[in-house]
Amino acid sequence: MSRDIEMRLARELPAYALRVVGALEAAGHEAWVVGGWVRDALLGRPGHDVDVTTSAPWQQTARVLRAAGIEVHETGTAHGTVTAVVDGSPVETTTYRVEGAYTDRRHPDEVRFVTDVREDLARRDFTVNAMAFHPKRGLLDPFDGEKDLAARVIRAVGEPRRRFEEDALRVLRAVRFACRLDARIDSATQDALVSCAPELAQIAHERIGQELDGILATGRAAWALRHEFAVMAAAVPELAPMAGFDQKSPYHAHDVLEHTARVCAGVEEFTGGGASQALRWAALLHDVAKPECWSEDVSGRGHFFGHPEAGARTARRVMARLAIPGDVSRAAAALVLLHDFEIRATAPSMRRMLSELERACPGQARRLSFDLLDLKRSDAVAKAPQCTGYAVELDQMTRALRAELAAGAVWRVGDLAVGGADVIRERGIEPGPGVGMVLAQLLATVMDGQLPNDREAQLEWLRW
Ligand code: ATP
Ligand code: MG
């Protein structure tokens, strides 16, 4: 090993990983760092978890590492995996293996342990993920992953169609890595991707959810929608009607798909690439129900009555199926529901928006209010050119929202300066639903700006 790049990797390999590799090799086994760490370190991003692959059967791995004073957890022994924990850092350590036949096109029927690391690399999905590194022996790269990485190409290891037929999830993984690495997909791999995309229907929903969530997390969903829509629509069939759907509206210069891609790009632009996961899902799904809600008026213009409500329902259903965490899906569905909610740059309007968000996603209104403005801003610039003026108004709304929150905005009954006990005493009524009704009325009055959030003023209002 002499190349600068290998010396850099050897320097950057964390000491805890070196201990695992060193302990296994001192006991006469072979061990390599493999997969994501190698790929990301070659790109100058050495922060990835370290995975190790070894010739040792897992029982031996566990024994050798424990003898070296390393904590070992038996996390996936059916696949030959144990997790070593050194100084608090986990290192997944797996015996060289290949996968048997995939008769259900989902799970390998068996894993077979092998003795040659090259066989282990050959069962991996893409060339950029099929490299191994050893601090002394250097890079082992039988499929030219380093070259593909430098050229930013995602290429299947081996015959693409066969690899996608073995495990159709790889179709979605190809898109995720292309997004993540800002790469293009090699043409033979791309052809296989399109023909095998329908096989995604056979894959467990939560595995699809994980990869899709990973695609959104790259911030490049717009690319995936524009370049790999066949894959995206196979992963989420509800997206399919968006392609080519002509909105027949003066407000829309694009079909629903291109509009959605623009909104996905917009939320990244407006948040400096730091959109929340809920905002990303909302951008993807905000207009998903437009095709089903479409109607045409006598002048031939298209309308989409009820599409935010229907879209929120679809978003909830899709995200539940894909096992997206409940907090993300509730927040995303609230944003979809309210993406067309009319707002103005006034304090009462901001309070109404906060209160609607509170109702749709309790406890999250403050955080979601900024996400909602970013979604609306992206939506506006993704429509027709004459709608971009609205994006400027949204800047005023953001200022109004900040001012309102800084001033202690009131949008929940709990924010009022008085409470149930005050209502019972001042109004002389019994505890019960009537108290809540009075408080709701008071809240509406304060939110409208007719009464300050001041205890004396509100007690006075109760007495009146
Ligand atoms: P990430 O940072 O996204 O986790 P990663 O490279 O660690 O990137 P994982 O999904 O954690 O990706 O998988 C670890 C490695 O296992 C991959 O680099 C790849 O070599 C291999 N691998 C994972 N899933 C598959 C699959 N479905 N088919 C073939 N190889 C796979
Ligand atoms: Mg990983």
Side-chain angles (χ1 to χ4, degrees):
M1 182 188 75
S2 56
R3 293 186 305 146
D4 289 355
I5 199 157
E6 291 175 307
M7 279 157 48
R8 174 171 69 74
L9 259 56
R11 271 198 311 279
E12 287 173 351
L13 185 65
Y16 62 82
L18 208 53
R19 257 192 81 195
V20 173
V21 171
L24 286 164
E25 298 212 327
H29 304 289
E30 188 181 71
W32 297 82
V33 173
V34 75
W37 188 87
V38 181
R39 178 195 66 225
D40 285 5
L42 283 170
L43 288 173
R45 312 173 190 164
H48 201 281
D49 301 344
V50 183
D51 296 330
V52 166
T53 184
T54 178
S55 60
W58 72 263
Q59 298 89 338
Q60 304 244 22
T61 304
R63 198 172 49 71
V64 166
L65 296 181
R66 284 183 181 133
I70 295 170
E71 191 183 319
V72 175
H73 301 273
E74 294 174 9
T75 44
T77 54
H79 301 103
T81 302
V82 299
T83 302
V85 181
V86 184
D87 302 330
S89 301
V91 179
E92 273 201 1
T93 307
T94 304
T95 307
Y96 298 160
R97 62 180 173 89
V98 292
E99 281 146 13
Y102 285 72
T103 42
D104 66 353
R105 299 200 160 179
R106 227 190 281 190
H107 301 293
D109 293 339
E110 65 193 34
V111 302
R112 191 160 55 79
F113 297 113
V114 293
T115 51
D116 186 348
V117 65
R118 287 165 189 270
E119 278 191 77
D120 181 278
L121 294 178
R123 60 114 179 146
R124 294 173 184 271
D125 47 10
F126 306 110
T127 60
V128 295
N129 288 344
M131 292 180 272
F133 176 74
H134 185 280
K136 294 223 170 61
R137 298 189 292 273
L139 194 68
L140 179 62
D141 181 17
F143 306 104
D144 277 339
E146 190 184 3
K147 203 171 97 234
D148 283 342
L149 190 60
R152 295 289 196 276
V153 178
I154 301 301
R155 186 193 315 272
V157 171
E159 212 273 294
R161 193 171 304 234
R162 197 173 69 80
R163 302 310 311 284
F164 293 143
E165 283 171 358
E166 280 172 2
D167 179 6
L169 189 70
R170 292 173 188 153
V171 163
L172 205 48
R173 288 174 61 83
V175 175
R176 174 162 75 84
F177 285 110
C179 287
R180 162 107 156 255
L181 302 176
D182 198 357
R184 67 182 179 80
I185 297 178
D186 158 71
S187 70
T189 300
Q190 174 62 29
D191 291 345
L193 210 65
V194 172
S195 61
C196 298
E199 299 292 327
L200 275 171
Q202 311 299 322
I203 296 291
H205 297 310
E206 62 273 18
R207 290 180 81 205
I208 292 182
Q210 229 171 40
E211 293 296 333
L212 209 57
D213 203 47
I215 289 172
L216 295 186
T218 67
R220 304 193 70 238
W223 183 88
L225 289 172
R226 287 182 181 133
H227 298 274
E228 299 294 348
F229 190 66
V231 174
M232 296 296 279
V236 182
E238 287 85 347
L239 298 177
M242 302 197 312
F245 196 90
D246 178 358
Q247 311 204 42
K248 295 202 177 153
S249 154
Y251 299 116
H252 283 280
H254 313 288
D255 72 344
V256 179
L257 176 57
E258 174 57 21
H259 167 74
T260 298
R262 284 168 184 248
V263 172
C264 289
V267 298
E268 301 304 329
E269 197 177 315
F270 290 124
T271 56
S276 72
Q277 205 59 1
L279 179 54
R280 287 170 170 155
W281 275 102
L284 177 70
L285 296 173
H286 76 288
D287 274 352
V288 71
K290 266 195 164 175
E292 73 190 63
C293 293
W294 186 77
S295 64
E296 191 170 348
D297 66 18
V298 284
S299 70
R301 191 175 139 186
H303 296 280
F304 304 93
F305 300 115
H307 84 277
E309 293 78 8
R313 279 195 299 277
T314 303
R316 270 193 297 272
R317 191 180 69 239
V318 167
M319 297 177 84
R321 184 177 73 222
L322 299 178
I324 301 306
D327 56 337
V328 175
S329 71
R330 273 190 297 279
L335 294 171
V336 173
L337 178 69
L338 295 171
H339 79 271
D340 261 357
F341 183 71
E342 258 182 62
I343 51 175
R344 279 169 296 125
T346 64
S349 179
M350 290 300 113
R351 289 178 208 132
R352 270 196 298 281
M353 173 180 76
L354 286 160
S355 135
E356 290 295 327
L357 282 167
E358 184 69 33
R359 192 152 53 165
C361 189
Q364 301 295 318
R366 178 182 284 263
R367 182 173 63 80
L368 285 180
S369 59
F370 290 99
D371 281 355
L372 185 57
L373 293 183
D374 284 329
L375 181 59
K376 287 171 109 18
R377 191 179 279 122
S378 311
D379 200 13
V381 298
K383 288 181 183 173
Q386 72 269 25
C387 298
T388 53
Y390 183 60
V392 177
E393 276 177 57
L394 276 154
D395 289 342
Q396 291 157 9
M397 295 181 202
T398 307
R399 279 196 292 279
L401 175 64
R402 281 188 206 288
E404 189 48 29
L405 288 169
V410 173
W411 71 88
R412 294 158 295 203
V413 163
D415 297 330
L416 291 169
V418 298
D422 300 307
V423 175
I424 291 164
R425 190 183 60 250
E426 299 298 335
R427 286 275 164 108
I429 60 176
E430 296 288 319
V435 177
M437 285 163 68
V438 174
L439 285 171
Q441 218 183 352
L442 175 58
L443 178 63
T445 309
V446 174
M447 280 177 52
D448 274 353
Q450 297 171 40
L451 198 66
N453 196 23
D454 169 84
R455 189 165 163 78
E456 277 316 309
Q458 291 177 13
L459 288 172
E460 188 61 33
W461 183 90
L462 285 173
R463 281 178 209 125
W464 176 74

